[in-house]
Coordinates of all heavy atoms in Angstrom, one line a residue:
Chain A
E1340 N -10.7 17.6 -20.4 CA -11.1 18.4 -19.3 C -12.0 19.5 -19.8 O -11.6 20.5 -20.3 CB -9.8 19.1 -18.7 CG -8.7 18.2 -18.3 CD -7.5 18.9 -17.6 OE1 -7.6 20.2 -17.4 OE2 -6.5 18.2 -17.3
C1341 N -13.3 19.3 -19.7 CA -14.2 20.2 -20.4 C -15.5 20.5 -19.8 O -16.0 19.8 -18.9 CB -14.4 19.6 -21.8 SG -15.1 18.0 -21.7
A1342 N -16.1 21.7 -20.2 CA -17.4 22.1 -19.8 C -18.1 22.8 -21.0 O -17.4 23.3 -21.9 CB -17.4 23.0 -18.6
G1343 N -19.4 22.9 -21.0 CA -20.1 23.5 -22.1 C -21.6 23.8 -21.9 O -22.0 23.7 -20.7
V1344 N -22.3 24.0 -22.9 CA -23.7 24.3 -22.8 C -24.5 23.3 -23.6 O -24.2 22.9 -24.7 CB -24.0 25.8 -23.4 CG1 -25.4 26.1 -23.3 CG2 -23.1 26.8 -22.6
I1345 N -25.6 22.8 -23.0 CA -26.4 21.8 -23.6 C -27.1 22.4 -24.9 O -27.8 23.5 -24.7 CB -27.5 21.2 -22.6 CG1 -26.9 20.7 -21.4 CG2 -28.4 20.2 -23.3 CD1 -26.3 19.3 -21.5
E1346 N -27.0 21.7 -26.0 CA -27.7 22.2 -27.2 C -28.9 21.3 -27.6 O -29.8 21.8 -28.3 CB -26.7 22.2 -28.3 CG -25.6 23.1 -28.1 CD -24.8 23.5 -29.4 OE1 -25.1 22.8 -30.4 OE2 -23.9 24.3 -29.3
E1347 N -28.9 20.1 -27.1 CA -29.9 19.1 -27.5 C -29.9 18.0 -26.5 O -28.9 17.7 -25.9 CB -29.7 18.6 -28.8 CG -31.0 18.0 -29.5 CD -30.7 17.4 -30.9 OE1 -29.7 17.8 -31.5 OE2 -31.4 16.5 -31.3
V1348 N -31.2 17.5 -26.1 CA -31.2 16.4 -25.2 C -31.9 15.2 -25.8 O -32.9 15.4 -26.6 CB -31.9 16.8 -23.9 CG1 -31.2 17.9 -23.2 CG2 -33.4 17.1 -24.1
G1349 N -31.5 14.0 -25.4 CA -32.1 12.8 -26.0 C -33.5 12.6 -25.4 O -33.9 13.3 -24.4
S1350 N -34.3 11.7 -26.0 CA -35.7 11.6 -25.7 C -36.0 11.2 -24.2 O -37.1 11.6 -23.7 CB -36.4 10.6 -26.6 OG -35.7 9.4 -26.5
E1351 N -35.1 10.5 -23.6 CA -35.3 10.1 -22.2 C -34.7 10.9 -21.2 O -34.8 10.7 -20.0 CB -34.8 8.7 -22.0 CG -35.4 7.6 -22.9 CD -36.9 7.3 -22.5 OE1 -37.2 7.3 -21.3 OE2 -37.7 7.1 -23.4
V1352 N -34.1 12.0 -21.6 CA -33.3 12.9 -20.6 C -34.2 13.8 -19.9 O -34.9 14.7 -20.6 CB -32.2 13.6 -21.4 CG1 -31.5 14.6 -20.4 CG2 -31.2 12.7 -21.9
K1353 N -34.3 13.7 -18.6 CA -35.2 14.6 -17.8 C -34.5 15.6 -17.0 O -35.0 16.6 -16.6 CB -36.1 13.7 -16.8 CG -36.8 12.5 -17.5 CD -38.2 12.9 -17.8 CE -38.9 11.6 -18.4 NZ -38.3 11.2 -19.7
S1354 N -33.2 15.3 -16.6 CA -32.5 16.1 -15.6 C -31.8 17.3 -16.2 O -31.4 18.2 -15.5 CB -31.4 15.2 -15.0 OG -30.6 14.7 -16.0
L1355 N -31.7 17.3 -17.6 CA -31.0 18.5 -18.2 C -31.9 19.0 -19.3 O -32.7 18.3 -19.9 CB -29.6 18.0 -18.8 CG -28.6 17.6 -17.7 CD1 -27.4 16.9 -18.4 CD2 -28.1 18.8 -16.9
K1356 N -31.7 20.3 -19.6 CA -32.4 20.9 -20.7 C -31.5 21.8 -21.5 O -30.4 22.2 -21.1 CB -33.6 21.7 -20.2 CG -33.3 22.8 -19.3 CD -34.6 23.4 -18.7 CE -34.3 24.7 -18.0 NZ -33.2 24.6 -17.0
V1357 N -31.9 22.2 -22.7 CA -31.2 23.0 -23.6 C -30.8 24.3 -22.9 O -31.7 24.9 -22.2 CB -32.0 23.3 -24.9 CG1 -31.2 24.3 -25.8 CG2 -32.1 22.0 -25.7
G1358 N -29.5 24.7 -23.0 CA -29.2 26.0 -22.3 C -28.4 25.7 -20.9 O -27.8 26.6 -20.4
D1359 N -28.6 24.5 -20.4 CA -27.9 24.2 -19.1 C -26.4 24.3 -19.3 O -25.9 23.8 -20.3 CB -28.4 22.9 -18.6 CG -29.7 22.9 -17.9 OD1 -30.2 24.0 -17.6 OD2 -30.2 21.8 -17.6
R1360 N -25.8 24.8 -18.3 CA -24.3 24.9 -18.4 C -23.8 23.6 -17.5 O -24.2 23.4 -16.4 CB -23.8 26.2 -17.7 CG -24.2 27.4 -18.5 CD -24.2 28.6 -17.6 NE -22.9 29.0 -17.1 CZ -22.5 28.8 -15.9 NH1 -23.3 28.3 -14.9 NH2 -21.2 29.2 -15.5
V1361 N -23.0 22.9 -18.2 CA -22.5 21.6 -17.5 C -21.0 21.3 -17.6 O -20.4 21.8 -18.5 CB -23.3 20.4 -18.2 CG1 -24.8 20.4 -17.9 CG2 -23.0 20.3 -19.7
A1362 N -20.5 20.6 -16.6 CA -19.2 20.1 -16.6 C -19.3 18.6 -17.0 O -20.2 18.0 -16.5 CB -18.5 20.3 -15.2
L1363 N -18.3 18.1 -17.7 CA -18.4 16.7 -18.2 C -17.4 15.9 -17.5 O -16.2 16.2 -17.4 CB -18.1 16.7 -19.7 CG -19.3 17.0 -20.7 CD1 -19.8 18.5 -20.6 CD2 -18.9 16.7 -22.1
E1364 N -17.9 14.7 -17.1 CA -17.0 13.7 -16.6 C -16.6 12.8 -17.8 O -17.5 12.4 -18.6 CB -17.7 12.8 -15.6 CG -16.8 11.7 -15.0 CD -17.3 10.9 -13.8 OE1 -18.3 11.2 -13.2 OE2 -16.7 9.8 -13.6
A1365 N -15.3 12.7 -18.0 CA -14.7 12.2 -19.2 C -14.9 10.8 -19.6 O -14.8 10.4 -20.8 CB -13.2 12.5 -19.2
G1366 N -15.2 9.9 -18.7 CA -15.1 8.5 -19.0 C -16.5 7.7 -19.0 O -17.2 7.8 -18.0
I1367 N -16.8 6.9 -20.0 CA -18.0 6.1 -20.0 C -17.6 4.7 -19.7 O -16.9 4.1 -20.5 CB -18.6 6.2 -21.4 CG1 -18.9 7.7 -21.9 CG2 -19.9 5.3 -21.5 CD1 -19.4 7.8 -23.3
S1368 N -18.0 4.2 -18.6 CA -17.7 2.8 -18.2 C -18.8 1.9 -18.6 O -19.9 2.4 -19.1 CB -17.5 2.7 -16.7 OG -18.5 3.4 -16.0
C1369 N -18.6 0.6 -18.5 CA -19.6 -0.3 -19.1 C -20.8 -0.5 -18.2 O -21.9 -0.9 -18.7 CB -19.0 -1.7 -19.3 SG -18.8 -2.8 -17.9
R1370 N -20.7 -0.3 -16.9 CA -21.8 -0.4 -16.0 C -22.3 -1.8 -15.8 O -23.4 -2.0 -15.2 CB -22.9 0.6 -16.2 CG -22.4 2.1 -16.1 CD -23.4 3.1 -16.5 NE -23.8 3.0 -17.9 CZ -25.0 3.2 -18.3 NH1 -26.0 3.6 -17.5 NH2 -25.3 3.1 -19.6
Q1371 N -21.6 -2.8 -16.3 CA -22.1 -4.1 -16.2 C -21.0 -5.1 -15.5 O -21.4 -6.1 -15.0 CB -22.3 -4.7 -17.6 CG -23.5 -4.0 -18.2 CD -23.6 -4.4 -19.7 OE1 -22.7 -4.8 -20.3 NE2 -24.8 -4.3 -20.2
C1372 N -19.8 -4.7 -15.5 CA -18.8 -5.6 -15.0 C -18.7 -5.4 -13.4 O -19.4 -4.6 -12.9 CB -17.4 -5.3 -15.5 SG -16.6 -3.8 -14.9
N1373 N -18.0 -6.3 -12.7 CA -18.0 -6.4 -11.3 C -17.5 -5.1 -10.7 O -18.0 -4.6 -9.8 CB -17.2 -7.6 -10.8 CG -17.9 -8.9 -10.9 OD1 -19.2 -8.9 -11.0 ND2 -17.2 -10.0 -10.9
L1374 N -16.4 -4.6 -11.4 CA -15.8 -3.3 -10.9 C -16.8 -2.2 -10.9 O -16.9 -1.4 -10.0 CB -14.5 -3.0 -11.6 CG -13.3 -3.8 -11.2 CD1 -12.2 -3.9 -12.3 CD2 -12.7 -3.4 -9.9
C1375 N -17.5 -2.1 -12.1 CA -18.5 -1.0 -12.2 C -19.6 -1.2 -11.1 O -20.0 -0.2 -10.5 CB -19.2 -1.0 -13.6 SG -18.1 -0.3 -14.8
K1376 N -20.1 -2.4 -11.0 CA -21.2 -2.7 -10.1 C -20.7 -2.4 -8.6 O -21.6 -2.1 -7.8 CB -21.7 -4.1 -10.3 CG -22.5 -4.2 -11.6 CD -23.4 -5.4 -11.7 CE -22.5 -6.7 -12.0 NZ -23.4 -7.9 -12.2
E1377 N -19.5 -2.6 -8.3 CA -19.0 -2.3 -7.0 C -18.8 -0.8 -6.8 O -18.4 -0.4 -5.7 CB -17.6 -2.9 -6.7 CG -17.6 -4.4 -6.4 CD -16.2 -4.9 -6.3 OE1 -15.2 -4.2 -6.0 OE2 -16.0 -6.1 -6.8
G1378 N -18.9 0.0 -7.8 CA -18.6 1.4 -7.7 C -17.2 1.8 -8.1 O -16.9 3.0 -8.1
R1379 N -16.3 0.9 -8.4 CA -15.0 1.3 -8.7 C -14.9 1.4 -10.3 O -14.0 0.8 -10.9 CB -14.0 0.3 -8.2 CG -13.9 0.3 -6.7 CD -12.9 -0.6 -6.1 NE -11.6 0.2 -6.0 CZ -10.5 -0.2 -5.4 NH1 -10.5 -1.3 -4.7 NH2 -9.4 0.5 -5.4
Y1380 N -15.8 2.1 -10.8 CA -15.9 2.2 -12.3 C -14.7 2.8 -13.0 O -14.5 2.6 -14.2 CB -17.3 2.9 -12.7 CG -17.3 4.3 -12.4 CD1 -16.7 5.3 -13.2 CD2 -18.1 4.8 -11.3 CE1 -16.8 6.7 -12.9 CE2 -18.2 6.1 -10.9 CZ -17.6 7.0 -11.8 OH -17.7 8.4 -11.5
N1381 N -13.9 3.5 -12.3 CA -12.7 4.1 -12.9 C -11.8 3.0 -13.3 O -10.9 3.2 -14.2 CB -12.0 5.1 -11.9 CG -11.6 4.4 -10.6 OD1 -12.4 3.7 -10.0 ND2 -10.4 4.6 -10.1
L1382 N -11.9 1.8 -12.8 CA -11.0 0.7 -13.2 C -11.7 -0.2 -14.2 O -11.1 -1.3 -14.5 CB -10.7 -0.1 -11.9 CG -10.1 0.7 -10.7 CD1 -9.9 -0.2 -9.5 CD2 -8.8 1.3 -11.2
C1383 N -12.8 0.2 -14.8 CA -13.5 -0.7 -15.8 C -12.6 -1.0 -17.0 O -12.1 0.0 -17.6 CB -14.8 0.0 -16.3 SG -15.7 -0.8 -17.6
P1384 N -12.5 -2.2 -17.3 CA -11.6 -2.6 -18.4 C -12.1 -2.1 -19.8 O -11.4 -2.0 -20.8 CB -11.5 -4.1 -18.4 CG -12.5 -4.6 -17.4 CD -13.0 -3.4 -16.6
Q1385 N -13.4 -1.8 -19.8 CA -14.1 -1.3 -21.1 C -14.2 0.2 -21.1 O -15.0 0.7 -21.9 CB -15.4 -2.0 -21.3 CG -15.5 -3.5 -21.1 CD -14.6 -4.2 -22.1 OE1 -14.5 -3.8 -23.2 NE2 -13.9 -5.2 -21.6
M1386 N -13.5 0.9 -20.3 CA -13.7 2.3 -20.2 C -13.5 3.0 -21.5 O -12.4 2.8 -22.1 CB -12.7 2.9 -19.1 CG -12.7 4.3 -19.0 SD -14.2 5.1 -18.3 CE -13.9 4.9 -16.6
K1387 N -14.4 3.9 -21.8 CA -14.1 4.8 -23.0 C -14.0 6.2 -22.5 O -14.9 6.8 -22.0 CB -15.4 4.7 -24.0 CG -15.6 3.3 -24.5 CD -16.7 3.2 -25.5 CE -17.1 1.8 -25.9 NZ -16.4 0.7 -25.3
F1388 N -12.7 6.6 -22.6 CA -12.3 7.9 -22.0 C -11.9 8.9 -23.1 O -11.0 8.6 -23.9 CB -11.2 7.6 -21.1 CG -10.9 8.7 -20.0 CD1 -11.5 8.7 -18.8 CD2 -10.0 9.7 -20.4 CE1 -11.2 9.7 -17.9 CE2 -9.7 10.7 -19.4 CZ -10.3 10.7 -18.2
F1389 N -12.5 10.1 -23.0 CA -12.1 11.2 -23.9 C -10.6 11.3 -24.1 O -9.9 11.6 -23.1 CB -12.6 12.5 -23.4 CG -14.1 12.9 -23.7 CD1 -14.8 13.7 -22.8 CD2 -14.7 12.5 -24.8 CE1 -16.1 14.0 -23.0 CE2 -16.1 12.8 -25.0 CZ -16.8 13.6 -24.1
G1390 N -10.1 11.2 -25.3 CA -8.7 11.4 -25.6 C -7.8 10.3 -25.1 O -6.6 10.5 -25.1
S1391 N -8.3 9.1 -24.8 CA -7.5 8.0 -24.5 C -7.7 7.0 -25.7 O -8.9 6.6 -25.8 CB -7.9 7.3 -23.2 OG -7.0 7.6 -22.2
P1392 N -6.7 6.7 -26.5 CA -7.0 6.0 -27.7 C -7.7 4.6 -27.4 O -7.4 4.0 -26.4 CB -5.6 5.7 -28.3 CG -4.6 6.0 -27.2 CD -5.3 7.0 -26.3
P1393 N -8.6 4.2 -28.2 CA -9.0 4.9 -29.4 C -10.2 5.8 -29.4 O -10.8 6.1 -30.4 CB -9.5 3.6 -30.3 CG -10.1 2.8 -29.3 CD -9.4 3.0 -28.0
T1394 N -10.6 6.3 -28.2 CA -11.8 7.1 -28.0 C -11.4 8.6 -28.3 O -10.6 9.2 -27.6 CB -12.3 7.0 -26.5 OG1 -12.6 5.6 -26.3 CG2 -13.6 7.8 -26.4
N1395 N -12.2 9.2 -29.2 CA -12.0 10.6 -29.5 C -12.3 11.5 -28.3 O -13.2 11.2 -27.5 CB -12.9 11.1 -30.7 CG -12.3 10.6 -32.0 OD1 -11.1 10.4 -32.2 ND2 -13.2 10.2 -32.9
G1396 N -11.5 12.6 -28.2 CA -11.6 13.5 -27.1 C -12.7 14.6 -27.3 O -13.5 14.5 -28.2
A1397 N -12.6 15.7 -26.5 CA -13.6 16.7 -26.5 C -13.2 18.0 -26.9 O -14.0 19.0 -26.8 CB -14.2 16.8 -25.0
L1398 N -12.0 18.2 -27.5 CA -11.5 19.5 -28.0 C -12.2 19.7 -29.3 O -11.6 19.4 -30.4 CB -10.0 19.6 -28.0 CG -9.5 21.0 -28.4 CD1 -10.1 22.2 -27.7 CD2 -7.9 21.0 -28.2
A1399 N -13.4 20.1 -29.3 CA -14.3 20.2 -30.5 C -15.4 21.2 -30.2 O -15.6 21.6 -29.1 CB -14.9 18.8 -30.7
N1400 N -16.0 21.6 -31.3 CA -17.2 22.5 -31.1 C -18.3 21.9 -30.3 O -18.9 22.5 -29.4 CB -17.7 22.9 -32.5 CG -16.8 23.8 -33.2 OD1 -16.4 23.5 -34.4 ND2 -16.3 24.9 -32.6
K1401 N -18.6 20.6 -30.7 CA -19.6 19.8 -29.9 C -19.3 18.4 -29.7 O -18.5 17.8 -30.5 CB -20.9 19.8 -30.8 CG -21.4 21.2 -31.3 CD -22.6 20.9 -32.2 CE -22.8 22.2 -33.2 NZ -23.3 23.3 -32.5
V1402 N -19.8 17.9 -28.7 CA -19.7 16.4 -28.4 C -21.1 15.9 -28.1 O -21.9 16.6 -27.6 CB -18.7 16.0 -27.3 CG1 -17.3 16.5 -27.6 CG2 -19.1 16.5 -26.0
V1403 N -21.2 14.6 -28.2 CA -22.4 13.8 -27.7 C -21.9 13.0 -26.5 O -20.9 12.4 -26.6 CB -23.0 13.0 -28.8 CG1 -24.0 12.0 -28.2 CG2 -23.6 13.8 -29.9
H1404 N -22.6 13.1 -25.4 CA -22.2 12.4 -24.2 C -23.4 12.0 -23.4 O -24.5 12.5 -23.5 CB -21.3 13.4 -23.4 CG -20.3 12.8 -22.5 ND1 -19.4 11.9 -22.9 CD2 -20.1 13.1 -21.2 CE1 -18.6 11.6 -21.9 NE2 -19.0 12.3 -20.8
P1405 N -23.2 10.9 -22.6 CA -24.4 10.5 -21.7 C -24.7 11.6 -20.8 O -23.9 12.2 -20.2 CB -23.8 9.3 -21.0 CG -22.6 8.8 -21.8 CD -22.1 10.0 -22.4
A1406 N -26.0 11.8 -20.6 CA -26.5 12.8 -19.7 C -26.1 12.6 -18.3 O -25.8 13.6 -17.5 CB -28.1 12.9 -19.8
Y1407 N -26.0 11.3 -17.9 CA -25.6 11.1 -16.4 C -24.2 11.5 -16.2 O -23.7 11.5 -15.0 CB -25.9 9.6 -16.1 CG -24.9 8.6 -16.5 CD1 -23.8 8.3 -15.8 CD2 -25.1 8.0 -17.8 CE1 -22.9 7.4 -16.2 CE2 -24.1 7.0 -18.2 CZ -23.1 6.7 -17.4 OH -22.2 5.8 -17.8
L1408 N -23.4 11.8 -17.2 CA -22.0 12.2 -17.0 C -21.8 13.7 -17.2 O -20.7 14.2 -17.3 CB -21.0 11.5 -17.9 CG -20.9 10.0 -17.6 CD1 -20.0 9.3 -18.6 CD2 -20.2 9.8 -16.2
C1409 N -23.0 14.4 -17.3 CA -22.9 15.9 -17.4 C -23.5 16.5 -16.2 O -24.7 16.2 -15.8 CB -23.7 16.3 -18.7 SG -23.0 15.7 -20.2
F1410 N -22.8 17.3 -15.5 CA -23.2 17.9 -14.2 C -23.5 19.4 -14.3 O -22.6 20.2 -14.7 CB -22.1 17.6 -13.2 CG -21.9 16.1 -13.0 CD1 -21.0 15.4 -13.8 CD2 -22.5 15.4 -12.0 CE1 -20.8 14.0 -13.7 CE2 -22.3 14.1 -11.8 CZ -21.5 13.4 -12.7
K1411 N -24.6 19.7 -13.9 CA -25.1 21.1 -14.1 C -24.2 22.0 -13.1 O -24.0 21.7 -12.0 CB -26.6 21.3 -13.6 CG -27.3 22.4 -14.3 CD -28.8 22.3 -14.2 CE -29.3 23.7 -14.2 NZ -30.7 23.8 -14.0
L1412 N -23.8 23.2 -13.7 CA -23.0 24.1 -12.9 C -23.9 25.2 -12.3 O -24.8 25.7 -13.0 CB -22.0 24.8 -13.8 CG -20.9 23.9 -14.4 CD1 -20.1 24.7 -15.4 CD2 -20.0 23.4 -13.3
P1413 N -23.7 25.5 -11.0 CA -24.4 26.6 -10.4 C -24.1 27.9 -11.1 O -23.0 28.0 -11.8 CB -23.9 26.6 -8.9 CG -23.1 25.4 -8.8 CD -22.7 24.9 -10.1
E1414 N -24.9 29.0 -10.9 CA -24.7 30.2 -11.5 C -23.3 30.8 -11.3 O -22.7 31.4 -12.2 CB -25.7 31.3 -11.0 CG -27.2 30.9 -11.2 CD -27.5 31.1 -12.7 OE1 -27.2 32.1 -13.3 OE2 -28.1 30.1 -13.2

Side-chain angles (χ1 to χ4, degrees):
Chain A
E1340 307 185 358
C1341 56
V1344 180
I1345 305 281
E1346 296 196 355
E1347 197 181 338
V1348 302
S1350 56
E1351 298 291 325
V1352 175
K1353 310 264 180 294
S1354 55
L1355 294 169
K1356 58 187 193 310
V1357 173
D1359 279 347
R1360 297 156 65 252
V1361 291
L1363 277 65
E1364 180 172 347
I1367 305 172
S1368 49
C1369 82
R1370 295 176 298 144
Q1371 290 168 341
C1372 70
N1373 286 340
L1374 282 161
C1375 282
K1376 289 194 284 184
E1377 278 174 35
R1379 294 188 83 168
Y1380 65 81
N1381 55 316
L1382 305 175
C1383 174
Q1385 310 301 322
M1386 174 69 84
K1387 299 182 186 1
F1388 194 94
F1389 278 150
S1391 261
T1394 305
N1395 286 325
L1398 184 45
N1400 292 127
K1401 303 174 207 289
V1402 300
V1403 167
H1404 205 52
Y1407 78 90
L1408 291 173
C1409 298
F1410 298 85
K1411 205 166 152 183
L1412 294 172
E1414 300 288 313

